[in-house]
Amino acid sequence: NAGVTQTPKFQVLKTGQSMTLQCAQDMNHNSMYWYRQDPGMGLRLIYYSASEGTTDKGEVPNGYNVSRLNKREFSLRLESAAPSQTSVYFCASSVRTGLSNQPQHFGDGTRLSIL
Amino acid sequence: ELKVEQNPLFLSMQEGKNYTIYCNYSTTSDRLYWYRQDPGKSLESLFVLLSNGAVKQEGRLMASLDTKARLSTLHITAAVHDLSATYFCAVPADRGSTLGRLYFGRGTQLTVWP
């Protein structure tokens, strides 16, 4: 039972390069989320997708774009990476909150360094 | 904007001792989540608190929610080394909504020593 799978697990980029972080869930969840975690800052929401076909900005969306490819997959793209985007990125998924008491389930994270 | 404050941010305690972690939030919410994160690992759900007065217990951890005070506590009883981790509380950003956005506290890094 894989849950939430993120790829890659580690990545080093140079400033200005682009890349896409992939996330897939096999729990038939409607909602998916991208967070970043910085030391001492907790998790901050970048973008989320409440259901297939919709995406919305979170707390810190600048410099990122997302695509909800289908119900299972939600990708995060950095078009022109900056050192300030060095962070650990977590993808999460959940059943639609208003319809369930279940918490969000998190992937193992992608550790991204931008030089 | 919803603010979620945890304290303490760092907690070093001896095995066998008791302690409480506090989570305050700034706007009305009817639910709260507690997560645990081991170093370099993902977040694991500990408790889902769904109403005022809710209390959940698992092992040496007990969580409670007071929605009127906008306060949740995570109480540790007779700490053991295996409880060493970072603990986060999280509050929904949109009460009554199905959007599911969460605001997280900064986390409490707990170290239990012999």
Side-chain angles (χ1 to χ4, degrees):
Chain A
N1 198 1
V4 179
T5 303
Q6 292 183 235
T7 57
K9 294 190 185 305
F10 302 92
Q11 185 71 48
V12 178
L13 293 178
K14 294 181 179 179
T15 297
Q17 287 185 315
S18 62
M19 81 161 293
T20 300
L21 281 62
Q22 307 286 353
C23 175
Q25 52 89 12
D26 62 2
M27 296 175 282
N28 200 35
H29 285 168
N30 297 100
S31 302
M32 298 185 73
Y33 313 85
W34 276 106
Y35 295 90
R36 60 177 288 172
Q37 183 178 30
D38 301 298
M41 293 293 294
L43 277 75
R44 291 181 292 171
L45 183 64
I46 305 171
Y47 270 93
Y48 66 103
S49 172
S51 60
E52 186 179 356
T54 68
T55 61
D56 283 289
K57 296 178 180 179
E59 293 177 78
V60 289
N62 291 346
Y64 305 95
N65 285 300
V66 290
S67 296
R68 182 74 182 265
L69 304 171
N70 47 57
K71 190 173 185 179
R72 291 186 63 248
E73 298 173 288
F74 188 39
S75 63
L76 178 72
R77 183 162 178 83
L78 287 70
E79 290 290 352
S80 179
S84 61
Q85 295 177 304
T86 293
S87 188
V88 181
Y89 292 85
F90 285 99
C91 177
S93 71
S94 69
V95 178
R96 288 289 292 272
T97 301
L99 303 176
S100 167
N101 300 328
Q102 296 302 308
Q104 292 181 13
H105 296 261
F106 286 80
D108 288 339
T110 295
R111 284 146 185 83
L112 180 61
S113 294
I114 299 162
L115 307 177
Chain B
E1 179 182 295
L2 173 63
K3 294 190 185 304
V4 182
E5 295 185 353
Q6 284 182 241
N7 68 82
L9 297 181
F10 299 94
L11 177 56
S12 179
M13 58 189 298
Q14 191 175 15
E15 282 189 331
K17 299 294 186 182
N18 305 331
Y19 208 84
T20 300
I21 298 170
Y22 297 89
C23 175
N24 292 89
Y25 51 97
S26 62
T27 63
T28 303
S29 179
D30 58 357
R31 65 185 63 200
L32 187 139
Y33 303 85
W34 282 97
Y35 287 88
R36 168 182 171 145
Q37 185 181 36
D38 292 308
K41 302 294 186 182
S42 184
L43 278 77
E44 171 192 357
S45 176
L46 288 175
F47 299 109
V48 180
L49 302 171
L50 296 173
S51 61
N52 187 42
V55 177
K56 294 275 186 77
Q57 181 165 5
E58 179 153 343
R60 301 172 187 275
L61 299 177
M62 183 173 70
S64 66
L65 178 62
D66 182 342
T67 58
K68 294 179 181 178
R70 299 177 186 172
L71 171 69
S72 180
T73 61
L74 181 65
H75 186 72
I76 303 157
T77 301
V80 294
H81 178 72
D82 285 351
L83 290 180
S84 297
T86 299
Y87 294 86
F88 293 94
C89 62
V91 179
D94 312 288
R95 187 182 184 191
S97 165
T98 60
L99 294 179
R101 296 187 300 165
L102 291 179
Y103 276 77
F104 281 79
R106 292 171 62 186
T108 296
Q109 186 176 316
L110 171 65
T111 303
V112 181
W113 47 279

